[in-house]
Amino acid sequence: MKVLVIGGGAREHALCRSLSLDPDVTALHCAPGNAGIAEVAELHPVDQLDGDAVVRLATRLGAELVVVGPEAPLVAGVADAVRAAGVPVFGPSREAARLEGSKAFAKDVMAGAGVPTARSYVCTTPEEIDEALDAFGAPYVVKDDGLAAGKGVVVTDDLARARDHALACDRVVIEEFLDGPEVSLFAITDGTTVLPLQPAQDFKRALDGDEGPNTGGMGAYSPLPWADPKLVEEVLGTVLQPTVDELRRRGTPFSGLLYAGLAITGRGVRVIEFNARFGDPETQVVLARLKTPLAGVLLNSANGTLDDQAPLSWSDEAAVTVVVASHNYPDTPRTGDPIEGLAEVAERDAPLAYVLHAGTKRDGDAVLSAGGRVLSVTATGTDLAQARERAYAAVGRIRLDGSQHRTDIARKAAEA
């Protein structure tokens, strides 16, 4: 099978790494990719948001499966263009991707499906914003209705900050605060059958102790030793399957990766948000534990034959990912700094620990930073403590001027 992956972050590097290890994959391409992905796939320039350009590239390469990684191309309808050209594609249609592209649409779908979620108001005027903030009180949860690259949500006790964020959005969802730990659960679906993956937990705040501003994610781990063993089964029955059934009932079947961000509250599981693609950095740890070859699972989703898929096989090992970010992230990050120590990690730590590239580019023999989140250092171990130790040992070999990372990823879970 010839596979083309669209995207250029650590999520796509994780996907490409898993696909490169699949014996059924005879050729692996990525567009536009990054310096790390270049080691496992052939890179091609492309405008990720241009469906026609992606179709032309897929056709030229003879791709038998296209995997669309990021949310922006999905919301732009790139999967529709590829599907219309007769090429199997892993990723939902533009209409179905509104589940991530519009928080208000997602709330409407959840209401129709009877999915448990936070009470909320959709606001478009200052008056509506003030009424909603007053109704719920602190802590305030304010979400930009549209895509915001993981930075559209503000959770704060500061009324002025909450109001300022709300006023900066064209359309905003204000909702009740959900207490309890958060869990990310992915599911692969063909629009009918839903195949849940293993849960993970990510860390959104920039600083240790969950302090600082929200980011796209500073690390993740899997499995969750503290979670109810029946969590996946429960979420499949109350959240994932009902959502997929509701979208199909509406005439917008969802085929691809459905990501449920969950809060385990004192009143039970509640959905915080849906995404329409693999999450980053949770993908890095979930795929590190998946033993089933990936390409066939994604192709069954694309072809509507997921009911033929054998049960997934998982490693009993734990996985931890630590994100190394640029100076000043998540504000305007500094880029163009050389990254050193990558060869040392490959020589001394692989395959138990390895580096997945996010925002990088090659300049001659040098690898330079090219984004806010630069690397995802991922490791496996017999338990979280060992995986964590290996991940941080590898992080310690990497040198990037002004870089930052959290030192407490998976620490509480490992010590529990």
Side-chain angles (χ1 to χ4, degrees), residues 216-264:
M218 295 299 290
Y221 70 92
S222 178
L224 312 182
W226 49 268
D228 186 330
K230 295 180 180 177
L231 176 65
V232 173
E233 184 182 342
E234 178 190 345
V235 175
L236 175 62
T238 61
V239 174
L240 299 170
Q241 191 71 57
T243 299
V244 169
D245 292 345
E246 173 68 12
L247 285 165
R248 187 176 67 254
R249 185 188 69 77
R250 291 175 177 224
T252 54
F254 188 106
S255 170
L257 195 289
L258 178 58
Y259 165 137
L262 309 165
I264 313 300

Side-chain angles (χ1 to χ4, degrees), residues 42-62:
E42 184 179 344
L43 302 190
H44 306 271
V46 78
D47 178 352
Q48 297 179 67
L49 303 181
D50 186 338
D52 292 338
V54 172
V55 168
R56 287 194 296 272
L57 176 61
T59 303
R60 178 167 65 80
L61 296 174

Side-chain angles (χ1 to χ4, degrees), residues 157-223:
D157 289 321
D158 185 337
L159 176 60
R161 182 165 177 247
R163 191 172 188 273
D164 287 346
H165 182 66
L167 290 170
C169 304
D170 290 334
R171 195 180 191 208
V172 66
V173 174
I174 296 173
E175 63 184 38
E176 67 174 326
F177 176 76
L178 296 175
D179 64 327
E182 295 185 13
V183 174
S184 300
L185 184 60
F186 303 161
I188 292 172
T189 179
D190 58 5
T192 302
T193 301
V194 181
L195 192 64
L197 305 185
Q198 289 290 300
Q201 186 173 61
D202 77 330
F203 295 77
K204 288 289 188 212
R205 299 285 187 172
L207 307 176
D208 284 5
D210 291 328
E211 298 289 337
N214 259 352
T215 72
M218 295 299 290
Y221 70 92
S222 178

Side-chain angles (χ1 to χ4, degrees), residues 9 217 329 346:
Y329 177 79

